[in-house]
Amino acid sequence: MCCLERIKKLAKLNKFFPYFNTFSAKKETKPVSLQAQKSSLMKRFEKADTIRQYLHTFRTESTIGFVPTMGALHEGHMALIETARRENDVVVSSIFVNPVQFNNPDDLARYPRTLEEDCQKLETAGCDVVFAPSVDEMYPNPPSLRLNFGLLETVMEGAFRPGHFNGVGIVVAKLFNIIQPDRAYFGQKDLQQVGVIRQLIRDLSFPVELIRCPIVRETDGLAMSSRNRNLTAAERDQAPALFEALTRAHGALMDEQSVAQAKEMVTDFFNNKPDFRLEYVDVVNANSLQPTDYVLAPGQTAICLAAHLGKVRLIDNLVF
């Protein structure tokens, strides 16, 4: 009896079973696939060094798609994850409520924080890696850097939330340096923020492709937002008025009314809704975010507005 046959016979008697399995496995060893390296379970990191080291193992042969968030996730975020999943080998998301971009301390305090629930949603949607750092991890010292985005700082969100885009730019630049993605996914609902990130990528030469994804809406037209959960039941019933106002303004412009007339229509619309306080309505170039007095080429015009409903500030836009 040869040695191999003898080993097999002994294995059947369970005398050397573990060793025989090891021996056989080594003969069948194959290269480890990307999917096997990733594992079926989503990885969660809180430290910049550890997630950077982990992602380094995929960087040479894989594309990394990145979806930065502040948590309190909804179907709009899941749509970003799903798009990133289709277009990349590895999908990374971050959950970090960035204090530097809040110019209102009460707004920061009220921002929903649902980390465990968010992680479950991300894993179900197909996210591979989540980065959920602490404030101390992201800002061991208060940042002294100041970013200025030029004309973007002078209109709409820039005008009404001074310092906001400086905070957005700092945190996104830090996240880009930590994650080093090939593509980054942002929602159109924060249209002006998309413009800020586009300028950040261009001015600082980040090798990142920016993907703007469409707004995801509730069945009644309300743009999905993490802040929606802070609305009372009565306020939630009224909130679709933002999209109604946008739709009316769009109809007016398509009927060849002037931009001034469309904006006046929106102002009058909210004047008749005492629970709302309209902050701004503008018709702008959808790329530069600068005001325009006329409708541009298809896909290049946006109507943007912000309004307060109770204690909640809501924004929305329509690109056409």
Side-chain angles (χ1 to χ4, degrees):
M1 182 184 296
C2 73
C3 289
L4 182 58
E5 290 174 339
R6 182 177 176 83
I7 292 172
K8 287 181 177 179
K9 184 175 181 181
L10 290 171
K12 290 179 180 178
L13 298 174
N14 293 325
K15 289 186 177 180
F16 296 105
F17 188 71
Y19 305 101
F20 184 75
N21 277 351
T22 303
F23 173 73
S24 300
K26 286 184 178 178
K27 290 183 65 178
E28 299 297 325
T29 298
K30 295 180 180 179
V32 179
S33 68
L34 171 64
Q35 192 62 38
Q37 291 180 57
K38 284 163 55 178
S39 171
S40 60
L41 297 177
M42 184 179 72
K43 303 288 186 182
R44 179 168 157 180
F45 296 92
E46 297 178 353
K47 299 294 184 182
D49 288 346
T50 52
I51 190 172
R52 187 184 283 116
Q53 183 178 5
Y54 177 76
L55 291 175
H56 179 73
T57 61
F58 303 109
R59 206 171 305 286
T60 56
E61 298 180 358
S62 310
T63 56
I64 297 175
F66 179 44
V67 180
T69 83
M70 292 205 302
L73 304 183
H74 50 71
E75 288 304 313
H77 294 110
M78 297 305 102
L80 298 178
I81 295 291
E82 289 163 8
T83 302
R85 174 79 283 154
R86 290 194 300 269
E87 298 179 355
N88 301 276
D89 300 308
V90 180
V91 177
V92 181
S93 184
S94 61
I95 299 174
F96 179 64
V97 181
N98 177 34
V100 180
Q101 72 187 63
F102 285 83
N103 59 330
N104 182 338
D106 291 337
D107 192 21
L108 174 60
R110 283 195 301 268
Y111 198 89
R113 291 162 173 82
T114 54
L115 180 59
E116 297 306 321
E117 178 185 339
D118 292 340
C119 287
Q120 291 175 8
K121 290 180 178 180
L122 288 172
E123 187 162 17
T124 300
C127 184
D128 298 304
V129 182
V130 63
F131 180 46
S134 66
V135 174
D136 287 341
E137 178 68 15
M138 291 299 287
Y139 301 112
N141 298 295
S144 56
L145 178 67
R146 291 292 179 269
L147 300 176
N148 188 310
F149 292 95
L151 292 176
L152 284 169
E153 301 270 10
T154 66
V155 296
M156 299 188 297
E157 297 297 290
F160 284 90
R161 300 182 69 187
H164 171 65
F165 288 136
N166 172 67
V168 169
I170 288 174
V171 76
V172 172
K174 290 173 77 72
L175 289 168
F176 280 176
N177 275 317
I178 293 167
I179 307 300
Q180 298 179 35
D182 297 281
R183 301 181 183 95
Y185 297 79
F186 289 82
Q188 179 190 305
K189 188 182 76 67
D190 296 294
L191 184 63
Q192 195 169 359
Q193 176 177 270
V194 173
V196 165
I197 303 306
R198 184 186 300 117
Q199 184 171 330
L200 182 78
I201 289 172
R202 182 179 64 241
D203 288 357
L204 298 184
S205 301
F206 281 110
V208 179
E209 180 183 359
L210 175 63
I211 309 294
R212 188 185 85 190
C213 297
I215 295 174
V216 178
R217 298 185 179 278
E218 304 284 1
T219 55
D220 57 9
L222 177 63
M224 290 190 179
S225 169
S226 300
R227 288 182 170 85
N228 290 351
R229 65 179 67 196
N230 288 335
L231 295 167
T232 66
E235 290 166 350
R236 173 61 186 83
D237 289 341
Q238 299 180 73
L242 272 75
F243 186 56
E244 182 182 351
L246 289 172
T247 304
R248 291 187 179 201
H250 175 254
L253 292 171
M254 292 299 94
D255 288 341
E256 299 186 349
Q257 294 187 43
S258 69
V259 165
Q261 288 173 315
K263 291 171 63 174
E264 184 178 3
M265 175 186 296
V266 172
T267 301
D268 291 342
F269 176 81
F270 282 108
N271 284 341
N272 291 318
K273 294 186 177 296
D275 291 333
F276 283 90
R277 178 168 60 84
L278 181 66
E279 195 166 79
Y280 66 76
V281 56
D282 273 308
V283 178
V284 302
N285 181 304
N287 294 309
S288 71
L289 284 304
Q290 297 306 300
T292 179
D293 291 328
Y294 49 87
V295 174
L296 305 171
Q300 301 301 308
T301 309
I303 311 168
C304 303
L305 61 78
H308 294 262
L309 178 56
K311 295 182 178 180
V312 182
R313 183 178 185 272
L314 301 170
I315 64 173
D316 202 352
N317 65 79
L318 194 158
V319 176
F320 62 99

